[in-house]
PDB file of all heavy atoms in Angstrom:
ATOM      1  N   ALA A  46      43.825  53.484 175.495  1.00 54.00           N
ATOM      2  CA  ALA A  46      43.029  53.586 176.724  1.00 54.00           C
ATOM      3  C   ALA A  46      42.981  55.018 177.240  1.00 54.00           C
ATOM      4  O   ALA A  46      42.107  55.359 178.020  1.00 54.00           O
ATOM      5  CB  ALA A  46      43.597  52.662 177.794  1.00 54.00           C
ATOM      6  N   ALA A  47      43.908  55.865 176.789  1.00 56.00           N
ATOM      7  CA  ALA A  47      43.912  57.248 177.261  1.00 56.00           C
ATOM      8  C   ALA A  47      42.643  57.979 176.839  1.00 56.00           C
ATOM      9  O   ALA A  47      42.177  58.876 177.520  1.00 56.00           O
ATOM     10  CB  ALA A  47      45.130  57.980 176.705  1.00 56.00           C
ATOM     11  N   PHE A  48      42.063  57.586 175.699  1.00 60.00           N
ATOM     12  CA  PHE A  48      40.838  58.220 175.242  1.00 60.00           C
ATOM     13  C   PHE A  48      39.610  57.617 175.900  1.00 60.00           C
ATOM     14  O   PHE A  48      38.511  58.094 175.721  1.00 60.00           O
ATOM     15  CB  PHE A  48      40.698  58.083 173.729  1.00 60.00           C
ATOM     16  CG  PHE A  48      41.709  58.885 172.969  1.00 60.00           C
ATOM     17  CD1 PHE A  48      42.616  58.260 172.154  1.00 60.00           C
ATOM     18  CD2 PHE A  48      41.741  60.259 173.081  1.00 60.00           C
ATOM     19  CE1 PHE A  48      43.546  58.991 171.452  1.00 60.00           C
ATOM     20  CE2 PHE A  48      42.665  61.002 172.382  1.00 60.00           C
ATOM     21  CZ  PHE A  48      43.574  60.366 171.561  1.00 60.00           C
ATOM     22  N   GLN A  49      39.775  56.539 176.635  1.00 67.00           N
ATOM     23  CA  GLN A  49      38.629  55.864 177.211  1.00 67.00           C
ATOM     24  C   GLN A  49      38.398  56.234 178.668  1.00 67.00           C
ATOM     25  O   GLN A  49      37.473  55.743 179.291  1.00 67.00           O
ATOM     26  CB  GLN A  49      38.787  54.349 177.048  1.00 67.00           C
ATOM     27  CG  GLN A  49      38.778  53.951 175.597  1.00 67.00           C
ATOM     28  CD  GLN A  49      38.907  52.462 175.404  1.00 67.00           C
ATOM     29  OE1 GLN A  49      39.079  51.715 176.358  1.00 67.00           O
ATOM     30  NE2 GLN A  49      38.817  52.024 174.177  1.00 67.00           N
ATOM     31  N   THR A  50      39.240  57.091 179.211  1.00 68.00           N
ATOM     32  CA  THR A  50      39.013  57.606 180.562  1.00 68.00           C
ATOM     33  C   THR A  50      39.243  59.111 180.558  1.00 68.00           C
ATOM     34  O   THR A  50      40.050  59.625 179.799  1.00 68.00           O
ATOM     35  CB  THR A  50      39.962  56.958 181.594  1.00 68.00           C
ATOM     36  OG1 THR A  50      41.308  57.222 181.206  1.00 68.00           O
ATOM     37  CG2 THR A  50      39.728  55.471 181.704  1.00 68.00           C
ATOM     38  N   LEU A  51      38.528  59.801 181.402  1.00 66.00           N
ATOM     39  CA  LEU A  51      38.655  61.244 181.522  1.00 66.00           C
ATOM     40  C   LEU A  51      39.180  61.553 182.911  1.00 66.00           C
ATOM     41  O   LEU A  51      38.572  61.157 183.911  1.00 66.00           O
ATOM     42  CB  LEU A  51      37.295  61.911 181.290  1.00 66.00           C
ATOM     43  CG  LEU A  51      37.253  63.419 181.378  1.00 66.00           C
ATOM     44  CD1 LEU A  51      38.098  64.024 180.258  1.00 66.00           C
ATOM     45  CD2 LEU A  51      35.826  63.916 181.283  1.00 66.00           C
ATOM     46  N   ASP A  52      40.303  62.226 182.984  1.00 68.00           N
ATOM     47  CA  ASP A  52      40.953  62.572 184.248  1.00 68.00           C
ATOM     48  C   ASP A  52      41.275  61.343 185.082  1.00 68.00           C
ATOM     49  O   ASP A  52      41.390  61.421 186.300  1.00 68.00           O
ATOM     50  CB  ASP A  52      40.093  63.534 185.081  1.00 68.00           C
ATOM     51  CG  ASP A  52      39.906  64.880 184.408  1.00 68.00           C
ATOM     52  OD1 ASP A  52      40.791  65.265 183.611  1.00 68.00           O
ATOM     53  OD2 ASP A  52      38.901  65.546 184.681  1.00 68.00           O
ATOM     54  N   GLY A  53      41.392  60.200 184.432  1.00 69.00           N
ATOM     55  CA  GLY A  53      41.732  58.978 185.141  1.00 69.00           C
ATOM     56  C   GLY A  53      40.620  58.435 186.015  1.00 69.00           C
ATOM     57  O   GLY A  53      40.785  57.428 186.678  1.00 69.00           O
ATOM     58  N   GLU A  54      39.471  59.089 186.034  1.00 74.00           N
ATOM     59  CA  GLU A  54      38.384  58.681 186.917  1.00 74.00           C
ATOM     60  C   GLU A  54      37.105  58.316 186.182  1.00 74.00           C
ATOM     61  O   GLU A  54      36.418  57.379 186.557  1.00 74.00           O
ATOM     62  CB  GLU A  54      38.068  59.809 187.909  1.00 74.00           C
ATOM     63  CG  GLU A  54      39.216  60.144 188.837  1.00 74.00           C
ATOM     64  CD  GLU A  54      38.892  61.325 189.732  1.00 74.00           C
ATOM     65  OE1 GLU A  54      37.747  61.791 189.715  1.00 74.00           O
ATOM     66  OE2 GLU A  54      39.791  61.781 190.439  1.00 74.00           O
ATOM     67  N   VAL A  55      36.760  59.053 185.129  1.00 76.00           N
ATOM     68  CA  VAL A  55      35.503  58.852 184.431  1.00 76.00           C
ATOM     69  C   VAL A  55      35.729  57.870 183.285  1.00 76.00           C
ATOM     70  O   VAL A  55      36.559  58.091 182.416  1.00 76.00           O
ATOM     71  CB  VAL A  55      34.953  60.189 183.885  1.00 76.00           C
ATOM     72  CG1 VAL A  55      33.644  59.973 183.155  1.00 76.00           C
ATOM     73  CG2 VAL A  55      34.792  61.189 185.011  1.00 76.00           C
ATOM     74  N   ASP A  56      34.973  56.776 183.275  1.00 76.00           N
ATOM     75  CA  ASP A  56      35.108  55.740 182.261  1.00 76.00           C
ATOM     76  C   ASP A  56      34.277  56.106 181.035  1.00 76.00           C
ATOM     77  O   ASP A  56      33.061  56.250 181.120  1.00 76.00           O
ATOM     78  CB  ASP A  56      34.654  54.403 182.836  1.00 76.00           C
ATOM     79  CG  ASP A  56      34.921  53.245 181.904  1.00 76.00           C
ATOM     80  OD1 ASP A  56      35.674  53.446 180.925  1.00 76.00           O
ATOM     81  OD2 ASP A  56      34.396  52.151 182.143  1.00 76.00           O
ATOM     82  N   LEU A  57      34.939  56.279 179.889  1.00 74.00           N
ATOM     83  CA  LEU A  57      34.253  56.658 178.658  1.00 74.00           C
ATOM     84  C   LEU A  57      34.096  55.491 177.694  1.00 74.00           C
ATOM     85  O   LEU A  57      33.735  55.693 176.540  1.00 74.00           O
ATOM     86  CB  LEU A  57      35.029  57.788 177.961  1.00 74.00           C
ATOM     87  CG  LEU A  57      35.174  59.085 178.745  1.00 74.00           C
ATOM     88  CD1 LEU A  57      36.048  60.059 177.986  1.00 74.00           C
ATOM     89  CD2 LEU A  57      33.828  59.692 179.028  1.00 74.00           C
ATOM     90  N   LYS A  58      34.344  54.267 178.132  1.00 74.00           N
ATOM     91  CA  LYS A  58      34.282  53.114 177.232  1.00 74.00           C
ATOM     92  C   LYS A  58      32.885  52.937 176.649  1.00 74.00           C
ATOM     93  O   LYS A  58      32.734  52.640 175.467  1.00 74.00           O
ATOM     94  CB  LYS A  58      34.713  51.843 177.962  1.00 74.00           C
ATOM     95  CG  LYS A  58      36.187  51.830 178.288  1.00 74.00           C
ATOM     96  CD  LYS A  58      36.556  50.588 179.056  1.00 74.00           C
ATOM     97  CE  LYS A  58      37.986  50.696 179.546  1.00 74.00           C
ATOM     98  NZ  LYS A  58      38.332  49.609 180.448  1.00 74.00           N
TER      99      LYS A  58
END
Side-chain angles (χ1 to χ4, degrees):
F48 291 118
Q49 295 181 356
T50 59
L51 180 65
D52 296 333
E54 297 176 7
V55 180
D56 187 13
L57 299 175
K58 290 178 188 172

